[in-house]
Amino acid sequence: MTQQQTIIFDGQKAAQKILEEIKSKVSSKDKKPGLAAILIGDDRPSHIYVKNKEKACQFCDITFHKYFLEENTPQKELLCCIEFLNKDPDIDAIIVQLPLPKQFDVEKVISSIDPKKDVDGFHPQTIKDIMAGKPGINSALVQAIREILKQTEQDLNGKKMILVSNCDIFYNTFVKELEDLMLDIEVIFSDNKKLEQKTKSAEILVSAVGKAKFITRSMVKKDAIVIDVGTSLVGKKFVGDVNFEEVKKIASFITPVPGGVGPMTVAMLLKNVYELSQNN
Ligand code: GUN
């Protein structure tokens, strides 16, 4: 049997369409939505991600407020900054760029954001609401994955999905948020003893580990949908978790890095900003 043609997802193009929809909605409102981004330290990828958010906000006419704090900022100072933004009526949404330097208690920081401005969907109150089936902000990343899955145009019902991840914060609500897609989802850590056996069983493989070229061809099922969330900076280039050149030869659908999940996540984040601005 000949291999079907692999679809390489164009995240830039798909994201642009979503940004245009947001821009059009924003233009019909009297008040511009406002997003505040707090970035601590010199982590280069984080600076690039925040820059991408800023560019997307400029395109959509969303006001972007940048707060760049030094690496050794005390937690108290960060909490003060968040408190100030919680009260500012021009700010509809707050994002604290992760990862944070070691001196910070991430849970405490996230909990200090007003849940009404929690654009990431990471606040415990937001998670509680989502898990209880109440309406709330869905994580931008999970929404991006949902949209990418839709664009595969494949029948997803009952498909086995494996998510390889090492970070709970991003995936607390993953299974719940995708529950309506009727997938069979399993979340595993990258040090799972049966890692290769598990990834190879996945009809949909999502990798969010952050190790360059971690997923090799032998770990992927033929004709799988492969969604690469991980990004590592190698020299000056972003590289995904998936060995793209190898894996694209057997996948039915694959997202590249850069230009796949990243732009879609930014677009979904801005969708959340718009939604929050309408609720506040
Ligand atoms: N760092 C990388 N991606 C994200 C994200 O979606 N939200 C936050 N807060 N930090 C990130």
Side-chain angles (χ1 to χ4, degrees):
M1 223 168 64
T2 52
Q3 157 78 30
Q4 66 183 77
Q5 184 130 41
T6 306
I7 295 173
I8 297 169
F9 177 67
D10 186 343
Q12 210 72 49
K13 191 169 154 197
Q16 188 59 29
K17 209 165 154 235
I18 297 164
L19 293 180
E20 271 158 22
E21 284 164 17
I22 300 167
K23 184 185 169 93
S24 154
K25 282 188 192 164
V26 169
S27 71
S28 70
K29 301 285 171 189
D30 294 334
K31 190 172 176 274
K32 282 188 195 181
L35 168 65
I38 306 176
L39 172 54
I40 299 146
D42 306 318
D43 181 57
R44 235 171 66 74
S46 293
H47 277 267
I48 296 170
Y49 300 149
V50 169
K51 188 84 204 154
N52 290 342
K53 286 165 193 161
E54 182 175 17
K55 272 195 215 152
C57 280
Q58 279 166 352
F59 178 80
C60 295
D61 216 9
I62 290 173
T63 312
F64 188 77
H65 305 253
K66 243 184 315 196
Y67 294 85
F68 285 0
L69 307 178
E70 283 179 19
E71 183 87 24
N72 59 0
T73 299
Q75 175 155 303
K76 220 171 124 192
E77 209 171 294
L78 172 59
L79 295 179
C80 270
C81 177
I82 294 172
E83 200 185 320
F84 170 81
L85 295 170
N86 280 342
K87 290 188 191 133
D88 185 337
D90 288 338
I91 304 290
D92 298 292
I94 302 169
I95 181 163
V96 177
Q97 189 68 24
L98 301 175
L100 287 173
K102 293 202 169 45
Q103 73 270 27
F104 292 100
D105 174 346
V106 180
E107 276 178 35
K108 187 154 186 197
V109 170
I110 291 172
S111 302
S112 73
I113 298 172
D114 180 342
K116 292 202 276 312
K117 300 189 178 188
D118 170 31
V119 70
D120 267 323
F122 294 166
H123 191 284
Q125 185 58 51
T126 313
I127 294 170
K128 205 169 141 199
D129 288 346
I130 296 288
M131 296 312 278
K134 292 186 193 164
I137 284 294
N138 285 318
S139 130
L141 178 59
V142 185
Q143 288 189 70
I145 292 171
R146 170 190 284 280
E147 187 55 35
I148 291 167
L149 286 172
K150 193 170 143 200
Q151 298 207 12
T152 65
E153 293 183 358
Q154 292 190 27
D155 179 10
L156 303 173
N157 204 324
K159 272 203 172 25
K160 173 87 195 164
M161 176 193 269
I162 295 276
L163 164 66
V164 192
S165 157
N166 290 329
C167 177
D168 290 345
I169 291 181
F170 290 91
Y171 302 102
N172 277 315
T173 52
F174 187 88
V175 176
K176 180 72 184 173
E177 283 180 31
L178 296 181
E179 139 188 285
D180 60 303
L181 296 182
M182 310 303 282
L183 300 164
D184 170 12
I185 304 177
E186 187 179 351
V187 184
I188 59 171
F189 285 132
S190 61
D191 62 356
N192 188 294
K193 289 207 168 54
K194 294 186 183 163
L195 179 73
E196 183 152 347
Q197 188 186 326
K198 297 247 179 208
T199 56
K200 201 153 177 112
S201 74
E203 294 161 294
I204 305 169
L205 177 61
V206 183
S207 184
V209 177
K211 275 191 207 158
K213 300 190 181 183
F214 174 71
I215 302 284
T216 56
R217 181 176 172 146
S218 65
M219 295 164 78
V220 179
K221 189 180 175 76
K222 189 172 176 308
D223 293 334
I225 295 168
V226 180
I227 301 179
D228 194 351
V229 177
T231 46
S232 313
L233 204 50
V234 179
K236 287 189 173 170
K237 275 175 77 179
F238 277 114
V239 178
D241 281 359
V242 176
N243 188 326
F244 183 79
E245 290 308 319
E246 271 183 33
V247 173
K248 79 171 184 200
K249 293 185 184 138
I250 56 164
S252 61
F253 181 101
I254 187 166
T255 67
V257 174
V261 174
M264 288 298 278
T265 307
V266 172
M268 292 307 182
L269 186 84
L270 266 56
K271 202 163 159 244
N272 283 351
V273 175
Y274 177 78
E275 242 173 69
L276 289 174
S277 76
Q278 295 311 292
N279 298 340
N280 284 339

